[in-house]
Amino acid sequence: MVDFSISQIGALILLRNFKLSNLLESKIMGAPSKADIWHLRCIKEELLTLQKALAEKLKQNEQKSSLGLVLEEIDEICKKHKEQG
């Protein structure tokens, strides 16, 4: 399991654009709506899959700048968790 923090808008973009696991979806749905940063949890493989899917979707439509911003966040999260092992 990976615990990570992501912006509220980033989490909502993921929820809107991708099929998420029940765990991650429930964490997003249960996050406090007034918080700017949400603390979520999912399995590491799902995070890596989302990273690849975001990059692929961004290649298909480079005008979706919101996806680019979320990809930057996910890239940073994955980078941190790679360093931690």
Side-chain angles (χ1 to χ4, degrees):
M1 284 293 173
V2 175
D3 292 319
F4 62 96
S5 300
I6 189 169
S7 67
Q8 178 188 44
I9 192 73
L12 293 174
I13 288 170
L14 289 177
L15 183 63
R16 185 173 182 193
N17 289 283
F18 298 96
K19 174 79 174 115
L20 304 176
S21 68
N22 290 338
L23 173 63
L24 185 53
E25 189 173 326
S26 70
K27 292 290 185 183
I28 291 172
M29 298 303 283
S33 60
K34 294 187 188 262
D36 292 335
I37 301 295
W38 287 356
H39 305 288
L40 306 177
R41 168 183 268 189
C42 69
I43 59 172
K44 190 173 186 175
E45 291 77 22
E46 181 176 16
L47 194 59
L48 297 173
T49 301
L50 282 171
Q51 183 184 30
K52 289 177 188 173
L54 270 163
E56 194 60 39
K57 219 172 205 189
L58 195 57
K59 279 184 197 173
Q60 292 171 2
N61 187 354
E62 292 184 18
Q63 294 177 346
K64 290 206 170 194
S65 61
S66 59
L67 289 178
L69 296 173
V70 177
L71 179 58
E72 286 179 25
E73 279 192 88
I74 297 292
D75 283 347
E76 282 298 313
I77 292 165
C78 288
K79 186 177 171 182
K80 285 179 191 172
H81 286 284
K82 272 186 183 175
E83 291 169 358
Q84 292 175 356

